[in-house]
């Protein structure tokens, strides 16, 4: 490694540098005293501040997901709501049913060559073409434009780039103004409406996106009773007969399907602000400041800490050139750029997120002659194909017909709580090791950008009721903050920065400088790594814009723990 050529680093003799270092050391120590087990009220503002344990404790799934009216719900429950929303909506819900869907049902009909089929028969024998988006009439969840609304949410709408005081990271939870703009765009009142996050076509990415939607709303204080995640893609879990929905006087017409060919246009007429919710759930996020303190042993939350790495084994084990950076740069040879180093946060265990999902529930053998589709795990089909279990109509029964729904609650609990290393054979066809979580510990979960970790967090927090904190900045941040050389010849961090994460990394393996991106601007002597949470707390109380920016000096924030 080349001799350090970090530009502009203060010297040890600098009084300003000594002040900053003292403030940082104090904050990394004080984080341990800020996460008690009881509700607190924020400085006389009337805002109730919840811990991760309290956020999780109010919501534990029923053993049968069909019994849930919030949290993880089934197609059966959503169809029941659509049948007659005003009569069937859950107790305490007085507003609309708002379905936030991650894209249409995708290509739900494939040609033998693998391309998307654009013309096909639907019920009644009519032929429709929709440009290859999916089955005509089956791209979106049904909506009546009166009580039930379905909106198509793009992947970028769940996240934004934000700076935690040390570095800017590409995919963080929305800040206050952006969250309020989201509520305005879709005219959502989260104190009245039921908000359902749904996948058009089930897929790993779609599961991650709807998880981020749930996290975003809970983080900003929305009650769990107003939020639900649909378990599985709509192409798998809605309506055995498929087809268009019809409504009469707000009631779904019996015998019609539960699909629409279009989503609603965003009205842009909402007036609600998250400032109207007197609840602070920012404890769902683990800041860099908290994550580093936990990894270094300077802070242990009540009940203990359990770090869950949701990435692949290769990423976890520190194989070189696994984690692409966030600047979209290319190397001199035209290849992708990577973060400075690989490995895993000190003490973390690994269970790949994908192993918690059904990828093989497309068909489980022929059922009775009267219902040959019954042995599909969800018992549904939208296809007119004569091949039992062929949900997407491509003539084959394979992973494209899977739901990507969650394993049953009992299996999730077994995989998470059985002793570390116990070999498990869940019904999704994988063989994996249990991770040995002990109930009461606070789970810190992450991946590269905390997309995949949404699946692990939903499994542990929403289904099982365990305390979960998302290290939202994830490995694209952690893997940058090391004394490591990048392709410019400079080092990402000076050797004496207190924010060096390579010093709290197991299976540490530095990537070759020739492939290491020049990271976003780093403030190696910032007095906080908690700027995002601090800004969001301030926005809640009307004391700021919820923006977050880097700092190389100044005083410590009033509540560095968030």
């Amino acid at each position: 490694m080349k001799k350090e050529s970090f530009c502009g680093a203060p010297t040890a003799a600098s009084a300003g540098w000594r002040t900053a270092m003292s403030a940082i050391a104090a904050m990394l120590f004080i984080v341990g005293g800020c996460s008690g087990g009881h509700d607190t009220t924020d400085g006389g503002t009337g805002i109730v501040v919840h811990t991760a344990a309290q956020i999780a404790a109010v919501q534990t799934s029923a053993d049968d997901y069909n019994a849930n009216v919030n949290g993880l719900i089934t197609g059966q429950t959503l169809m029941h709501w659509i049948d007659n929303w005003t009569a069937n909506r859950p107790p305490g819900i007085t507003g609309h049913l708002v379905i936030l869907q991650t894209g249409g049902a995708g290509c739900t009909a494939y040609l033998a060559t693998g391309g998307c089929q654009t013309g096909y028969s639907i019920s009644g024998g009519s032929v429709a073409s929709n440009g290859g988006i999916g089955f005509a009439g089956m791209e979106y969840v049904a909506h009546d434009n009166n009580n039930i609304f379905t909106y198509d949410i793009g992947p970028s709408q769940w996240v934004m780039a934000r700076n935690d005081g040390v570095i800017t990271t590409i995919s963080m939870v929305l800040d206050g103004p952006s969250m309020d703009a989201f509520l305005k765009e879709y005219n959502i009142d989260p104190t009245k409406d039921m908000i359902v996050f749904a996948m058009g076509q089930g897929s790993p990415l779609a599961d991650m996106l709807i998880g981020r939607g749930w996290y975003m709303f809970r983080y900003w204080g929305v009650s769990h009773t107003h939020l639900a995640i649909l378990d599985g893609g709509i192409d798998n879990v809605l309506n055995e007969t498929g087809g268009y929905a019809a409504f009469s006087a707000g009631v779904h017409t019996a015998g019609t399907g539960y699909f629409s060919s279009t989503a609603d246009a965003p009205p842009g007429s909402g007036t609600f602000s998250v400032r109207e919710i007197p609840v602070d759930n920012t404890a769902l996020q683990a800041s860099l400041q908290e994550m580093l303190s936990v990894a270094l042993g300077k802070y242990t939350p009540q009940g203990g800490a359990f770090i869950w790495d949701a990435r692949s084994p290769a990423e976890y084990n520190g194989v070189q050139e696994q984690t692409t950076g966030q600047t979209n740069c290319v190397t001199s040879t035209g290849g992708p750029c990577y973060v400075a180093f690989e490995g895993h946060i000190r003490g973390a265990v690994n269970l790949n997120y994908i192993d918690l999902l059904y990828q093989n529930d497309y068909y489980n053998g022929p059922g009775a002659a009267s219902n040959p589709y019954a042995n599909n795990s969800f018992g549904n089909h939208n296809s007119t194909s004569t091949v039992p279990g062929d949900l997407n109509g491509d003539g084959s029964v394979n992973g494209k017909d899977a739901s990507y729904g969650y394993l049953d609650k009992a299996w999730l609990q077994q995989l998470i709580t059985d002793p570390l290393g116990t070999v498990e054979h869940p019904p999704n066809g994988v063989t994996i090791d249990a991770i040995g979580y002990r109930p009461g510990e606070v789970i810190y979960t992450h991946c590269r950008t905390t997309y995949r970790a949404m699946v692990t967090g939903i499994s542990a927090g929403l289904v099982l009721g365990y305390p979960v904190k998302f290290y939202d900045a994830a490995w694209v941040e952690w893997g940058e903050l090391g004394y490591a050389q990048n392709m410019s010849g400079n080092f990402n961090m000076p050797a004496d920065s207190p924010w060096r994460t390579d010093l709290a990394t197991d299976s540490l393996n530095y990537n070759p400088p020739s492939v290491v991106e020049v990271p976003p601007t780093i403030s190696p002597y910032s007095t906080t790594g908690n700027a995002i949470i601090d800004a969001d707390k301030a926005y809640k109380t009307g004391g700021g814009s919820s923006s977050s920016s880097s700092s190389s000096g100044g005083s410590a924030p009033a509540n560095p723990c968030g």
Side-chain angles (χ1 to χ4, degrees):
M1 184 177 289
K2 281 181 63 177
K3 183 179 179 182
E4 178 185 0
S5 57
F6 184 85
C7 298
T11 66
S14 166
W17 178 84
R18 289 196 301 270
T19 301
M21 293 291 284
S22 297
I24 295 164
M27 283 189 295
L28 289 175
F29 174 77
I30 200 173
V31 71
C34 302
S35 186
H38 305 285
D39 283 324
T40 59
T41 303
D42 189 3
T45 63
I47 294 177
V48 177
V49 182
H50 288 146
T51 65
Q54 290 159 344
I55 295 169
V58 297
Q59 184 159 46
T60 302
S61 173
D63 292 342
D64 179 359
Y65 297 154
N66 282 310
N68 292 333
V69 294
N70 52 61
L72 195 63
I73 65 166
T74 63
Q76 175 180 305
T77 298
L78 184 57
M79 289 187 287
H80 177 65
W81 289 346
I82 293 172
D83 282 340
N84 189 332
W85 172 243
T86 56
N88 298 341
R89 58 191 173 191
I93 304 297
T94 59
H96 300 136
L97 175 59
V98 180
I99 298 150
L100 303 180
Q101 185 173 319
T102 59
C107 185
T108 54
Y110 291 85
L111 299 170
T113 58
C116 194
Q117 184 172 317
T118 58
Y120 36 83
S121 296
I122 57 175
S123 56
S126 61
V127 176
S129 177
N130 64 343
I133 297 174
F135 278 110
M138 298 185 187
E139 290 86 5
Y140 296 96
V141 179
H143 47 96
D144 65 4
N145 308 304
N146 183 31
N147 294 312
I148 304 169
F149 299 88
T150 298
Y151 300 113
D152 188 349
I153 310 298
S156 64
Q157 291 179 264
W158 304 118
V159 296
M160 67 185 299
R162 301 185 69 182
N163 190 292
D164 59 16
V166 178
I167 188 174
T168 296
T169 306
I170 51 175
S171 56
M172 302 294 294
V173 68
L174 296 189
D175 63 19
S178 300
M179 185 65 193
D180 282 349
F182 187 98
L183 297 176
K184 179 180 180 180
E185 179 76 0
Y186 299 103
N187 190 27
I188 297 172
D189 182 340
T191 64
K192 296 179 180 178
D193 300 335
M194 171 57 77
I195 302 138
V196 176
F197 305 96
M199 299 186 283
Q201 185 173 15
S203 71
L205 177 59
D207 264 313
M208 301 173 208
L209 291 172
I210 61 176
R212 287 212 67 100
W214 174 87
Y215 163 58
M216 180 176 81
F217 275 76
R218 281 296 274 149
Y219 176 86
W220 279 107
V222 177
S223 170
H224 71 285
T225 60
H226 288 260
L227 303 174
I229 289 176
L230 181 64
D231 189 31
I234 67 169
D235 57 339
N236 189 291
V237 305
L238 294 184
N239 190 17
E240 284 192 346
T241 59
Y244 295 93
F247 293 88
S248 177
V251 178
H252 177 246
T253 303
T256 64
Y258 290 84
F259 296 89
S260 172
S261 60
T262 60
D264 283 300
S269 57
T271 60
F272 193 90
S273 170
V274 291
R275 285 171 162 162
E276 299 175 54
I277 306 174
V279 173
D280 180 342
N281 284 345
T282 56
L284 269 176
Q285 182 183 148
S287 66
L288 170 64
Q289 189 163 306
E290 181 175 356
M291 196 72 257
L292 185 56
S293 294
V294 170
L296 291 172
K298 296 180 180 293
Y299 167 61
T300 301
Q302 183 174 334
F306 184 89
I307 305 173
W308 182 350
D309 189 323
R311 299 176 300 160
S312 69
E315 292 167 281
Y316 173 81
N317 289 321
V319 176
Q320 279 192 338
E321 299 179 23
Q322 293 293 307
T323 309
T324 53
Q326 54 177 321
T327 63
N328 296 318
C329 76
V330 295
T331 66
S332 59
T333 60
C337 299
Y338 297 90
V339 297
F341 61 88
E342 309 289 352
H344 59 265
I345 296 174
R346 183 174 297 165
V349 298
N350 179 226
L351 197 164
N352 196 339
Y353 84 102
I354 197 68
D355 294 331
L356 305 175
L357 300 172
Y358 277 111
Q359 307 162 65
N360 66 338
D361 60 346
Y362 36 88
Y363 187 51
N364 295 327
S370 60
N371 185 4
Y373 302 88
N375 285 345
N376 179 281
S377 291
F378 289 83
N380 303 316
H381 65 88
N382 301 330
S383 173
T384 56
S385 170
T386 58
V387 179
D390 178 21
L391 294 182
N392 65 4
D394 66 354
S396 300
V397 179
N398 54 33
K400 293 178 180 176
D401 303 300
S403 70
Y404 287 92
Y406 285 80
L407 290 173
D408 296 341
K409 179 183 176 182
W411 266 108
L412 293 177
Q413 186 169 23
Q414 187 169 323
L415 296 178
I416 295 170
T417 63
D418 272 3
L420 181 65
T422 304
V423 178
E424 309 281 3
H425 304 281
N428 58 357
V430 302
T431 298
I432 52 176
D433 291 346
I435 54 176
Y437 170 76
R438 292 171 296 188
E441 294 175 320
V442 175
I443 295 172
Y444 292 83
T445 189
H446 77 94
C447 52
R448 175 183 173 269
T449 53
T450 305
Y451 273 64
R452 288 172 283 178
M454 287 297 145
V455 173
T456 56
I458 295 298
S459 298
L462 185 142
V463 176
L464 298 173
Y466 298 145
V468 170
K469 295 174 78 76
F470 296 95
Y471 173 38
D472 207 355
W475 202 265
V476 290
E477 172 179 74
W478 191 274
E480 297 281 31
L481 302 180
Y483 178 57
Q485 195 175 10
N486 60 54
M487 61 175 57
S488 74
N490 291 327
F491 284 70
N492 282 11
M493 300 277 279
D496 59 356
S497 170
W499 299 108
R500 281 185 58 185
T501 53
D502 53 343
L503 299 180
T505 297
D506 292 337
S507 300
L508 177 64
N509 195 357
Y510 293 94
N511 283 318
S514 61
V515 302
V516 174
E517 70 175 357
V518 177
T521 301
I522 294 174
S523 299
Y525 303 105
S526 172
T527 57
T528 183
N530 208 61
I532 291 172
I533 292 176
D534 289 337
D536 293 344
K537 285 178 173 291
Y539 187 80
K540 269 279 190 176
T541 61
S545 66
S546 189
S547 63
S548 47
S549 59
S550 61
S551 171
S552 59
S555 59
N559 181 7
C561 305

